[in-house]
Amino acid sequence: MLTPTDEQAAAADAFDDGGHLALQAGAGTGKTSTLTFIAARTKRRGRYLAFNRAIANDAASRFPPTVTCKTVHSMAYGAVGHRYQARLNAPRQAGWKTGEALGITRPVHIGTREVSARALSYAALRTVTRFCHSSDTVISSRHVPRMRGLEDAETHAVLSQTVLPFAQSAWADLQHPGQGVVRFDHDHYLKIWALSQPAIEADFLLLDEAQDTNPVVEQVFNAQRTHAQLIMVGDSAQAIYGWRGARDVMTSFDATPLTLSQSFRFGPRLAQEANRWLAIADAPIRLTGTEAIASELGSLEHPDAVLCRTNVGAITHVLRHLEKGHRVALAGGGSSLRALAGAARDLKEGRRTTHPELLLFQTWADLQEYAQQDPSGGDLQPFVDLVDTHGTDAILAAVNRLTDEEHAQVTISTAHKAKGREWPSVLIAEDFAPPKDLPEPDENGRPVPGPIDDSEARLAYVAVTRARQRLDTAGLAWVDQHPGGNPAP
């Protein structure tokens, strides 16, 4: 960092004062540069806790040698995980086989649904996973996942009573370092480490991506408050992983609040669009663009990236661009789309599937009816339409024609997988649908749009801040006509 901004200098001064800090860093505001700048000002020993190994490795090349850069999993492995090395190297096996070993051998009837032994096995293993992501000390019914078709409280309670004993047996099995029937993975030793109430040796801790922290990591981090200076860093407006157990811990963290709002990724026009979504989400930050960057909004015929709301939308755009003869890459690879299409093919050919989204359906007709008629199944309707229009073979063939990003003309990504990424030009896909209308029309009989959900506004913010030069907001154009689409800055 050549010349720090006023905000970066203020963060460094606050760090020098020794208090706990919560640093809200907006999209493209030089978060890592700021952290390395403040860490270089002290000889105290620090630890930088990264979101993943790639980020940790990159940070290690930038931070001074007084700061150790690791993932939380890496720390947990060094403390206790290495004891389970033999189980970590165990071969993968189907969840239903693990379920059999735990004693799940027969289906059960819950409400009007028959829940297969395979589905129960999946639920038991997912219960353990949800427990491992939590800050709880024992497995309980609150960790049992919801299943499609069993969403109401009564049927979920019956499911929990059925699944919980097997989940408890699975967790007990995972305590044995030598051998066991449940495949041991990295989240298991992380939870075992967290339950040991570890003390991390450091003078200060930097927790990155704090807005998407699992409660188990939050618990370990906060427990260091008495002996280390704690600095949480993230962007509350990019908290988009609540659906998988993460939560924004920044806004409730007892610390001095600081802000980085000067974005070096794009210019004022894109910052203005980002600020619209920040205001809709009631986020605690607004961005300022860099005047020297000539970024703009406008239509794009050949974008560098297309960002979709759903995997179904991503499949649609992959097919669309392949039909045009483009070289297409899919961010994160095609495994999730391949799994969905494979599950659909199983159902269409009369076989049950173990895919978590579709495992309760016995036939494709059951899924079609559920997507069309059940209020909880509306999000599956685009996927059903896609399969009915193109067929599973065409979708699987398209996935097999994908190329790597380095050689692609266009990258297709969901907004979730685009987090942390950027491209020169970005098109927002049309599956960012507007909120549903309220049940009652206005006094003139016209439909009234429902409120924009905060989580959807945050996802839109992530999407519109991925472009450096040109952004096509076609898929979010509905916001211009929405009553809540232009809040005060």
Side-chain angles (χ1 to χ4, degrees), residues 207-277:
L207 177 63
D208 201 0
E209 298 291 343
Q211 79 283 347
D212 281 320
T213 299
N214 283 333
V216 65
V217 176
E218 176 193 7
Q219 176 192 35
V220 172
F221 182 78
N222 278 328
Q224 316 307 312
R225 176 180 287 269
T226 58
H227 70 271
Q229 182 183 12
L230 304 183
I231 299 94
M232 279 190 175
V233 189
D235 184 354
S236 290
Q238 294 192 52
I240 59 174
Y241 287 109
W243 53 275
R244 72 178 190 191
R247 74 183 195 93
D248 177 17
V249 302
M250 295 195 67
T251 53
S252 60
F253 183 53
D254 183 13
T256 300
L258 296 166
T259 298
L260 296 180
S261 63
Q262 172 67 58
S263 181
F264 304 102
R265 180 177 297 163
F266 41 71
R269 184 63 189 91
L270 264 64
Q272 180 182 358
E273 183 65 18
N275 287 337
R276 176 208 290 233
W277 292 102

Side-chain angles (χ1 to χ4, degrees), residues 113-114 116 118-119 148 338-371 380 383-384 387-388 391-393 396:
R113 298 274 183 182
E114 179 189 89
S116 67
R118 292 191 176 201
R148 286 192 180 275
R338 185 179 289 109
L340 264 175
R345 182 168 62 184
D346 286 342
L347 290 176
K348 289 175 74 70
E349 294 178 356
R351 297 187 298 272
R352 296 288 290 267
T353 177
T354 57
H355 193 286
E357 285 292 298
L358 310 180
L359 56 77
L360 283 185
F361 304 104
Q362 298 187 43
T363 66
W364 183 250
D366 287 343
L367 177 56
Q368 289 174 311
E369 179 182 1
Y370 178 80
L380 286 174
F383 173 65
V384 170
V387 172
D388 286 341
T392 56
D393 289 344
L396 290 167

Side-chain angles (χ1 to χ4, degrees), residues 229-439:
Q229 182 183 12
L230 304 183
I231 299 94
M232 279 190 175
V233 189
D235 184 354
S236 290
Q238 294 192 52
I240 59 174
Y241 287 109
W243 53 275
R244 72 178 190 191
R247 74 183 195 93
D248 177 17
V249 302
M250 295 195 67
T251 53
S252 60
F253 183 53
D254 183 13
T256 300
L258 296 166
T259 298
L260 296 180
S261 63
Q262 172 67 58
S263 181
F264 304 102
R265 180 177 297 163
F266 41 71
R269 184 63 189 91
L270 264 64
Q272 180 182 358
E273 183 65 18
N275 287 337
R276 176 208 290 233
W277 292 102
L278 288 169
I280 293 172
D282 196 25
I285 192 173
R286 299 293 183 270
L287 296 181
T288 301
T290 297
E291 293 286 347
I293 302 178
S295 58
E296 58 186 358
L297 267 66
S299 60
L300 283 166
E301 186 175 351
H302 300 291
D304 295 294
V306 178
L307 303 188
C308 305
R309 173 65 182 83
T310 64
N311 281 325
V312 173
I315 298 176
T316 301
H317 278 271
V318 165
L319 292 170
R320 187 176 300 170
H321 284 272
L322 286 174
E323 288 171 358
K324 294 179 180 179
H326 297 162
R327 296 188 305 276
V328 182
L330 185 65
S335 58
S336 61
L337 302 186
R338 185 179 289 109
L340 264 175
R345 182 168 62 184
D346 286 342
L347 290 176
K348 289 175 74 70
E349 294 178 356
R351 297 187 298 272
R352 296 288 290 267
T353 177
T354 57
H355 193 286
E357 285 292 298
L358 310 180
L359 56 77
L360 283 185
F361 304 104
Q362 298 187 43
T363 66
W364 183 250
D366 287 343
L367 177 56
Q368 289 174 311
E369 179 182 1
Y370 178 80
Q372 185 175 7
Q373 304 294 338
D374 196 299
S376 301
D379 61 319
L380 286 174
Q381 188 63 56
F383 173 65
V384 170
D385 292 341
L386 186 78
V387 172
D388 286 341
T389 300
H390 296 282
T392 56
D393 289 344
I395 296 171
L396 290 167
V399 172
N400 291 333
R401 290 173 58 193
L402 294 171
T403 187
D404 60 274
E405 290 194 45
E406 183 179 354
H407 299 96
Q409 294 171 292
V410 60
T411 296
I412 312 297
S413 177
T414 63
H416 284 93
K417 290 182 180 176
K419 185 178 174 183
R421 304 285 305 277
E422 58 182 64
W423 293 270
S425 63
V426 171
L427 167 68
I428 308 297
E430 67 280 1
D431 61 340
F432 283 83
K436 294 181 179 179
D437 293 337
L438 296 176

Side-chain angles (χ1 to χ4, degrees), residues 4 17 30 46 51 80 94 96 100 158 176 190 200 214 216 277 289 301 306 350 375 412 442 466 478 489:
D17 289 340
F51 193 67
V80 301
W96 66 267
E100 275 190 351
V158 177
H176 303 293
L190 175 61
I200 300 173
N214 283 333
V216 65
W277 292 102
E301 186 175 351
V306 178
I412 312 297
D442 66 14
R466 299 307 98 191
W478 54 263

Side-chain angles (χ1 to χ4, degrees), residues 107-284:
V108 298
H109 283 86
I110 301 177
T112 60
R113 298 274 183 182
E114 179 189 89
V115 184
S116 67
R118 292 191 176 201
L120 291 173
S121 300
Y122 161 77
L125 296 176
R126 278 290 298 152
T127 299
V128 173
T129 298
R130 287 161 61 92
F131 165 66
C132 288
H133 291 166
S134 77
S135 59
D136 300 324
T137 57
V138 294
I139 296 180
S140 67
S141 59
R142 67 188 299 268
H143 303 118
V144 178
R146 299 274 173 176
M147 281 190 179
R148 286 192 180 275
L150 300 176
E151 289 95 345
D152 64 274
E154 183 177 348
T155 55
H156 181 71
V158 177
L159 175 68
S160 297
Q161 292 171 5
T162 305
V163 166
L164 196 54
F166 297 113
Q168 291 166 336
S169 295
W171 180 242
D173 175 271
L174 289 165
Q175 308 307 301
H176 303 293
Q179 59 184 356
V181 300
V182 182
R183 188 173 189 271
F184 196 94
D185 69 29
H186 299 280
D187 282 345
H188 297 145
Y189 66 71
L190 175 61
K191 183 63 174 180
I192 292 170
W193 178 61
L195 289 172
S196 73
Q197 300 180 332
I200 300 173
E201 293 186 6
D203 298 315
F204 63 91
L205 297 177
L206 304 168
L207 177 63
D208 201 0
E209 298 291 343
Q211 79 283 347
D212 281 320
T213 299
N214 283 333
V216 65
V217 176
E218 176 193 7
Q219 176 192 35
V220 172
F221 182 78
N222 278 328
Q224 316 307 312
R225 176 180 287 269
T226 58
H227 70 271
Q229 182 183 12
L230 304 183
I231 299 94
M232 279 190 175
V233 189
D235 184 354
S236 290
Q238 294 192 52
I240 59 174
Y241 287 109
W243 53 275
R244 72 178 190 191
R247 74 183 195 93
D248 177 17
V249 302
M250 295 195 67
T251 53
S252 60
F253 183 53
D254 183 13
T256 300
L258 296 166
T259 298
L260 296 180
S261 63
Q262 172 67 58
S263 181
F264 304 102
R265 180 177 297 163
F266 41 71
R269 184 63 189 91
L270 264 64
Q272 180 182 358
E273 183 65 18
N275 287 337
R276 176 208 290 233
W277 292 102
L278 288 169
I280 293 172
D282 196 25

